[in-house]
Amino acid sequence: TIAIVGADGGECEQGTVGEIWVNGPSVAHGYWNAPELTQEAFENALPGREGSYLRTKDLGFVHEGSLYVTGRLQDLVIIRGRNYYPQDLERAAESSHSALRDGSGAAFTVELDGGAALVVVEEVRRHAIALEHGLDTHAGVLVKPGAVKKTSSGKVRRKACRTAFVRGEFEAARLDVPVLEGRDAASSDSRKDAGHADS
């Protein structure tokens, strides 16, 4: 049995995104020797429904009888009360320039002045650019290929990336920005030296 549950603990209307809760004979009863974690994750009740539900920490919605998974609750980027899916921010950054590798970025928040600030970590192919998405990015870290933390199956480990950023463990890639083609010679010559510092 599947239920889509909102932040208020009540079930969401059809088509509305919420946390996916599940109940059934194949769901485990809890964590070994961890009663507090078991109660938080496995022992959740819903009004009008029987049995306990497992909170999956996945976000999704039901449409015409099908379940659509939209992301992970713990990965959701919340800034000024608005929710952003990290994969949307990562895709926007990656698509902004061919120098950034597809599927090799991580977007997350850090605490700054009592609020959440957006950080985007991207792997660089050759060049660097400024990242824009309609949000002020507190930091953009452009790293060498292979630096973004991933699982053995290739999924981005955003929490591990956040920890590495906070600890200062990411080594930024050297950024060389080429002179744009199509400009007149004088303009190009005047920017050649400055071009290496722009990002």
Side-chain angles (χ1 to χ4, degrees), residues 67-88:
L67 173 66
Y68 295 83
V69 180
T70 60
R72 291 285 288 164
L73 182 62
Q74 65 186 25
D75 289 339
L76 199 62
V77 173
I78 305 173
I79 297 179
R80 294 187 295 276
R82 185 172 176 183
N83 297 343
Y84 298 87
Y85 289 109
Q87 55 267 34
D88 292 340

Side-chain angles (χ1 to χ4, degrees), residues 49-129:
R49 293 204 184 212
E50 294 183 3
S52 294
Y53 281 76
L54 164 67
R55 296 185 60 177
T56 66
K57 302 288 181 76
D58 288 320
L59 294 170
F61 64 94
V62 174
H63 177 68
E64 295 181 352
S66 294
L67 173 66
Y68 295 83
V69 180
T70 60
R72 291 285 288 164
L73 182 62
Q74 65 186 25
D75 289 339
L76 199 62
V77 173
I78 305 173
I79 297 179
R80 294 187 295 276
R82 185 172 176 183
N83 297 343
Y84 298 87
Y85 289 109
Q87 55 267 34
D88 292 340
L89 305 178
E90 294 156 4
R91 191 177 302 111
E94 292 161 6
S95 64
S96 65
H97 199 278
S98 60
L100 303 179
R101 300 182 67 201
D102 293 340
S104 297
F108 50 87
T109 59
V110 295
E111 289 296 319
L112 180 69
D113 298 329
L118 176 66
V119 176
V120 179
V121 178
E122 289 287 341
E123 289 185 7
V124 179
R125 284 199 179 103
R126 296 178 304 277
H127 319 297
I129 59 169

Side-chain angles (χ1 to χ4, degrees), residues 22-44 52-55:
V22 296
N23 166 281
S26 62
V27 177
H29 295 288
Y31 295 112
W32 179 257
N33 287 334
E36 291 182 6
L37 291 176
T38 294
Q39 183 176 12
E40 178 185 347
F42 290 88
E43 299 175 359
N44 299 283
S52 294
Y53 281 76
L54 164 67
R55 296 185 60 177

